[in-house]
Amino acid sequence: MSARELARRRDSLGAEIRISKEELNETIILDRRVVILAGDLRAGRRGYSVISQPEIVQGVMSLFETAWRSATDLAVHDAQVAEIRQLAPAVLDLLGQGVKDETAARRLGLGVRTYRRRVAELMDALGAESRFQAGVRARELGLV
C-alpha cells in the first residue's frame, strides 16, 4: 500500500492528516509525556530515540505544532492537486506557446493573479525554478 493510499485510509477512519512540503523524520508523541524520534537512515537501518524528559518532550511538541500549523490539510491538498492536474495541460500548452499571462488567464477564464498562482504551483509541483525549466520537466514526465 502506498503512502498516499495509507493516508486516505487513515483519513477515512477519522485521523487528522496534513501534508508538508518539508521532509520530516517520523515522530511519535504519546500522551504528551513520551516522544519517539526516528533518526536518519544509516547503512539501510534507522535508529530511534525514546525520550521522556519533560523539557525535551515539550520542545518536540512545540516543533511539531509549528510544523502542523504550516502544513496543509489532506482534503485541501487533494483539491489543490486535482485543480492543478486539471489545469496543467492547458497551462503548459499556453506557456509553450509563449502566450502572455493576461491572454492565458482570459482563455482559461481566470484572473491574472489566479493564473500566475497556478503557474507558480505547477512550477513548484514540477520542482522547476523557471517557466522554461517547468516546460522541460513537463516534457520529461510526458505531460506535454
Side-chain angles (χ1 to χ4, degrees):
M1 177 178 296
S2 73
R4 184 178 301 272
E5 292 168 330
L6 185 58
R8 302 279 176 285
R9 186 170 185 200
R10 289 179 178 170
D11 183 59
S12 72
L13 295 172
E16 291 182 61
I17 298 173
R18 297 179 74 85
I19 306 295
S20 174
K21 292 181 181 181
E22 304 302 322
E23 187 174 330
L24 304 169
N25 284 353
E26 297 90 341
T27 302
I28 300 170
I29 302 170
L30 302 169
D31 201 25
R32 297 182 176 264
R33 295 183 303 142
V34 176
V35 170
I36 302 172
L37 300 174
D40 291 331
L41 284 173
R42 290 206 174 107
R45 298 185 54 101
R46 184 179 303 272
Y48 294 88
S49 298
V50 178
I51 303 166
S52 61
Q53 186 175 353
E55 296 83 5
I56 295 175
V57 171
Q58 181 56 40
V60 172
M61 290 283 305
S62 177
L63 292 171
F64 169 81
E65 288 167 0
T66 299
W68 182 263
R69 283 191 303 271
S70 68
T72 303
D73 183 75
L74 181 62
V76 172
H77 177 266
D78 285 348
Q80 290 170 342
V81 168
E83 189 172 352
I84 289 169
R85 280 192 178 136
Q86 182 181 19
L87 284 174
V91 171
L92 289 168
D93 182 50
L94 293 166
L95 287 172
Q97 294 176 35
V99 175
K100 292 186 178 189
D101 287 356
E102 293 77 10
T103 304
R106 194 170 36 256
R107 286 187 189 174
L108 294 174
L110 301 172
V112 175
R113 290 176 62 186
T114 301
Y115 173 77
R116 287 180 177 150
R117 188 173 67 246
R118 294 296 181 259
V119 170
E121 291 168 347
L122 182 57
M123 288 172 53
D124 187 49
L126 292 169
E129 295 182 19
S130 70
R131 290 177 177 211
F132 177 78
Q133 191 178 31
V136 170
R137 294 248 169 94
R139 181 167 285 118
E140 289 171 350
L141 295 170
L143 298 174
V144 292

